[in-house]
Amino acid sequence: MTGDEKHSFSANSTLDVLWVLYDRVLRVNPANPDDTERDRFLLSKGHGPMAYYAVLAAKGFIPLDALPTFGRYDSILGFHPDGQLIPGVEIGSGSLGHGLPIASGVAAGLRARRMDGPRVFCLVGDAELDEGSNHEAIAAAARLGLNNLNVVVVDNKSASHGWPGGIAARFAVEGWSTSDVDGRDHGALHEAFSTPHPEAPHAVVAHVETKG
Amino acid sequence: MMDTMRERFVRVTTELLDEHSNLALVLADIGVSQFQGTIGFTETGAMKRFDGRVVNVGIREQLLVSFAAGMALEGFRPIVHTYAPFLVERPFEQFKLDFGHQGLGGIFVSVGASLDTAGLGRTHQAPEDIALIGTLPGWEAHVPGHPDEVEVLLRRAAAGSGPVYIRLTTESNAQAVDVDPGRMTRLRPGSPDAATVIAVGPMLDRVIAATRDMDVNLLYAATVRPFDRESLTETLAAPEVVIVEPYLEGTSAAEASAALMDRPHRLLSLGLPRVEHRHYGSASEHYAAHRLDESGIRERIGEFLRQSAAA
């Protein structure tokens, strides 16, 4: 990495979650990144994508020698990811609060296609939850029966006004199943992501070190 | 009695949902009651009939657009519908990013236009919508002037793949124009040195009446983006051009100027002014106040052409 990127905390906070997802949870194949039966992973918190790029490179979605091009004019790897440029990346992100609402539509689309296999995962940050658009999706998802939707909130306590009562409670009150886990504990993360939730969408709150 | 544009939209959309299994309909409460009669819209009924392709997300317009984008990622062509200010202005970044930047297509159909619900005040007036859509690369924007034109444009959009905006209004011209989507229609030729007047969508009847005894070339546009520069340049005789649009004045001025960049010309753009509207009442009262009724249009075009003659 170049060292002049703005969001190193964001990259550090998501690294373990991303690794567990790509190493043990997501059914994705770098040789066929558009496989219709793949799990869909949407990185909503496009800030600090260095961890994301590193995991994608480690898993064969992008070549390792693409990493040093980070942020260059003609690189596929920007300071925020562009889904049109990077194999295996479902969406471009960077402006906060878009991923989860899109993921809701993806989950609905899969259901409308009667595709029960693929699951939808979306990573958001705790501060990103300040964006009201997320709460439109949180409020609607369970009521619309989007039980194939999974959200992981990486909580480094960077939301300016915090989440009194806890982030998981915000999802639970809207009918989601929830898990609170140590965001550095790979076993706990894997278990949380693997918890069956046939009657509700699922939110995993992954707690990591406080930003700063 | 002629149906309204919205009634035609509801009927044709219902037919299209039956005809095209890749079409989806996403609503945010607005429109649910209108579709009630055609598809028995309930959360469970419509979802069951259309395999989950019909969804009401509630009064959540950011989600409305993003949700539709998610369905588009899964191969659906969503039809998204609500009032113009809530469809275009409130979730505009979702237009820009969730459809534009993700490279997705969809059909966005608004009601309300600039002044359909003038009595509801500024919150329900959206004369800025086409100007905003015009900033997005690759988008089509259609401003039909008759329910028959709505059907032509909607069916064509359903068969396409890109992002399309269709602007419905309660106003309608008496007769439909046989529109070729994307192209302007030449309705009345002028003499070899006549000015060119472009009437957009529901402004047509007023423009016809206002220019009834004027020597002008009259073009009709139900599609404003992409702007049909070719028809304008082919039609242009005298270097005077008038555009009459039912939304912000000057919305298509840059397009006309770009089309005529190699020709000296004068341009009169008629539309709603950039003022903070604080009046209620009816659309016709607003049009009269802004000199966009028949007499106002006639006076302003006449003044413009007299200036040309004097020069």
Side-chain angles (χ1 to χ4, degrees):
Chain A
M1 299 304 164
T2 61
D4 60 356
E5 56 276 1
K6 290 173 59 181
H7 298 296
S8 57
F9 289 116
S10 296
N12 292 335
S13 69
T14 59
L15 182 58
D16 292 273
V17 166
L18 287 165
W19 179 255
V20 171
L21 281 170
Y22 274 85
D23 192 51
R24 302 173 65 178
V25 177
L26 294 174
R27 295 187 288 255
V28 291
N29 180 2
N32 188 11
D34 298 324
D35 181 3
T36 56
E37 292 297 323
R38 73 191 184 282
D39 287 335
R40 275 64 163 168
F41 173 72
L42 287 76
L43 179 73
S44 184
K45 192 179 78 69
H47 297 55
M50 297 84 85
Y52 188 34
Y53 296 156
V55 170
L56 289 173
K59 289 297 180 183
F61 285 91
I62 57 177
L64 283 169
D65 59 11
L67 296 177
T69 72
F70 178 63
R72 290 184 191 166
Y73 175 78
D74 57 355
S75 176
I76 63 169
L77 307 179
F79 285 11
H80 296 127
D82 185 335
Q84 300 287 298
L85 300 178
I86 311 170
V89 172
E90 301 285 353
I91 60 167
S93 55
S95 181
L96 297 173
H98 287 255
L100 178 51
I102 295 174
S104 301
V106 171
L110 288 168
R111 184 181 59 184
R113 295 237 180 268
R114 298 185 177 179
M115 295 177 66
D116 298 328
R119 301 163 298 171
V120 183
F121 290 81
C122 180
L123 189 157
V124 303
D126 66 300
E128 183 183 9
L129 287 179
D130 286 352
E131 294 285 1
S133 55
N134 288 307
H135 297 274
E136 294 187 4
I138 292 168
R143 294 179 179 89
L144 293 174
L146 304 178
N147 305 335
N148 53 349
L149 177 61
N150 300 265
V151 172
V152 53
V153 183
V154 176
D155 180 12
N156 65 358
K157 297 168 185 59
S158 56
S160 293
H161 301 288
W163 290 100
I167 292 170
R170 179 71 190 86
F171 285 85
V173 76
E174 299 291 1
W176 293 57
S177 72
T178 64
S179 300
D180 273 285
V181 297
D182 179 346
R184 300 303 187 191
D185 184 333
H186 291 198
L189 285 167
H190 180 244
E191 183 178 348
F193 292 138
S194 305
T195 301
H197 49 93
E199 303 297 329
H202 186 52
V204 175
V205 182
H207 301 276
V208 298
E209 308 79 20
T210 300
K211 178 182 178 180
Chain B
M1 184 176 172
M2 185 169 68
D3 57 355
T4 66
M5 290 190 190
R6 195 182 196 191
E7 288 167 344
R8 187 70 65 91
F9 159 67
V10 169
R11 179 174 68 74
V12 173
T13 295
T14 304
E15 293 171 3
L16 289 168
L17 284 166
D18 277 324
E19 295 166 11
H20 301 277
S21 62
N22 72 318
L23 278 183
L25 174 65
V26 188
L27 303 174
D29 272 11
I30 300 295
V32 168
S33 61
Q34 282 73 20
F35 277 97
Q36 186 82 37
T38 59
I39 61 177
F41 196 107
T42 62
E43 293 297 336
T44 54
M47 297 275 280
K48 190 175 294 182
R49 173 174 167 185
F50 293 107
D51 279 342
R53 292 185 288 129
V54 175
V55 181
N56 173 23
V57 302
I59 306 173
R60 302 178 174 100
E61 286 85 8
Q62 294 181 86
L63 178 63
L64 171 75
V65 178
S66 298
F67 193 98
M71 295 196 79
L73 278 171
E74 292 305 321
F76 287 100
R77 184 152 177 75
I79 298 174
V80 187
H81 172 65
T82 188
Y83 268 88
F86 316 136
L87 181 63
V88 178
E89 296 174 334
R90 189 181 194 119
F92 184 69
E93 191 186 60
Q94 278 74 12
F95 271 57
K96 170 189 164 188
L97 296 179
D98 298 355
F99 276 87
H101 194 55
Q102 311 297 352
L104 297 172
I107 304 166
F108 299 83
V109 182
S110 72
V111 288
S114 297
L115 295 168
D116 283 359
T117 55
L120 299 179
R122 181 70 178 105
T123 58
H124 286 61
Q125 300 166 1
E128 305 85 357
D129 59 344
I130 297 295
L132 284 167
I133 294 292
T135 67
L136 301 172
W139 282 65
E140 292 180 15
H142 302 288
V143 186
H146 189 279
D148 290 357
E149 297 167 25
V150 172
E151 180 159 355
V152 170
L153 295 165
L154 183 59
R155 288 190 179 279
R156 180 178 174 277
S161 60
V164 177
Y165 178 63
I166 302 176
R167 184 185 213 253
L168 308 184
T169 175
T170 54
E171 300 180 70
S172 177
N173 300 312
Q175 301 292 326
V177 174
D178 185 14
V179 294
D180 178 6
R183 299 302 304 270
M184 294 187 203
T185 304
R186 190 174 188 180
L187 295 180
R188 194 172 82 209
S191 66
D193 57 353
T196 297
V197 178
I198 302 170
V200 174
M203 302 306 286
L204 178 60
D205 278 0
R206 261 168 283 171
V207 172
I208 289 175
T211 62
R212 57 190 178 278
D213 54 1
M214 295 182 187
D215 178 19
V216 296
N217 290 292
L218 180 58
L219 292 176
Y220 174 67
T223 298
V224 291
R225 297 292 181 279
F227 189 82
D228 182 10
R229 299 179 182 184
E230 188 177 349
S231 289
L232 175 58
T233 54
E234 287 174 357
T235 303
L236 195 74
E240 280 78 35
V241 179
V242 180
I243 305 178
V244 187
E245 299 177 285
Y247 34 78
L248 273 188
E249 64 186 6
T251 295
S252 294
E255 290 288 338
S257 294
L260 304 174
M261 63 179 295
D262 60 347
R263 306 185 193 191
H265 64 278
R266 296 176 65 239
L267 174 64
L268 173 64
S269 294
L270 301 184
L272 290 165
R274 285 172 172 75
V275 298
E276 193 56 47
H277 299 279
R278 296 195 186 281
H279 294 282
Y280 297 96
S282 65
S284 60
E285 290 175 290
H286 284 253
Y287 284 130
H290 299 302
R291 299 179 71 197
L292 286 170
D293 56 354
E294 178 188 328
S295 63
I297 292 170
R298 180 176 176 81
E299 289 168 9
R300 294 164 81 183
I301 293 177
E303 291 164 9
F304 177 72
L305 297 181
R306 282 193 294 277
Q307 290 168 3
S308 298

